Amino acid sequence: MTTTLLAAAPATGQATTDPLPYLAAGWILLAGLHGLVTSRHAVHAIGCLTVVQSGTYVLLLAVGYRRGATAPYFTDIPPTTPVADPVAHALTLTDVVVGAAVSALLLALVLQTAKRHGTADPDALTGLKG
């Protein structure tokens, strides 16, 4: 099955050399990092972490993009049709799922911390300092 997919996906599609997706990914990553560093609330920090992860989505999709290519669905296209890189798309989907799980876990931890200590401000949690 794998060799069939590789044989049906010749490298005729050109990877994008347009820097715009990479610049957008970097800008999203930096915006999220800025928010993460300047955050004074744990929920805000988790939101900024999600923005940082969104930059990785754009980066992975930019890496997998091929100019003039179609989706890697091989049942009704000629074998010589250029297709997008399915591995990058699969990694992006995995990244989305892992990001949602990590965000949910972190939000649950913040909720429990706020219940026990009465605040979600990391600087005000003096009982957690070593």
Side-chain angles (χ1 to χ4, degrees), residues 43-70:
V43 174
H44 182 260
I46 293 169
C48 292
L49 187 64
T50 304
V51 171
V52 168
Q53 194 165 16
S54 298
T56 63
Y57 305 156
V58 174
L59 180 65
L60 286 171
L61 290 175
V63 168
Y65 177 76
R66 301 282 183 256
R67 188 171 305 280
T70 185

Side-chain angles (χ1 to χ4, degrees), residues 64-124:
Y65 177 76
R66 301 282 183 256
R67 188 171 305 280
T70 185
Y73 188 69
F74 297 102
T75 58
D76 57 350
I77 60 173
T80 58
T81 304
V83 295
D85 186 4
V87 174
H89 292 182
L91 285 174
T92 304
L93 183 60
T94 303
D95 196 11
V96 168
V97 171
V98 169
V102 168
S103 295
L105 178 66
L106 289 175
L107 287 172
L109 289 174
V110 167
L111 185 65
Q112 289 300 316
T113 302
K115 280 183 182 177
R116 291 180 186 213
H117 299 282
T119 182
D121 184 5
D123 292 334

Side-chain angles (χ1 to χ4, degrees), residues 6 36 54 72 121-122 126:
L6 291 175
L36 191 61
S54 298
D121 184 5
T126 57

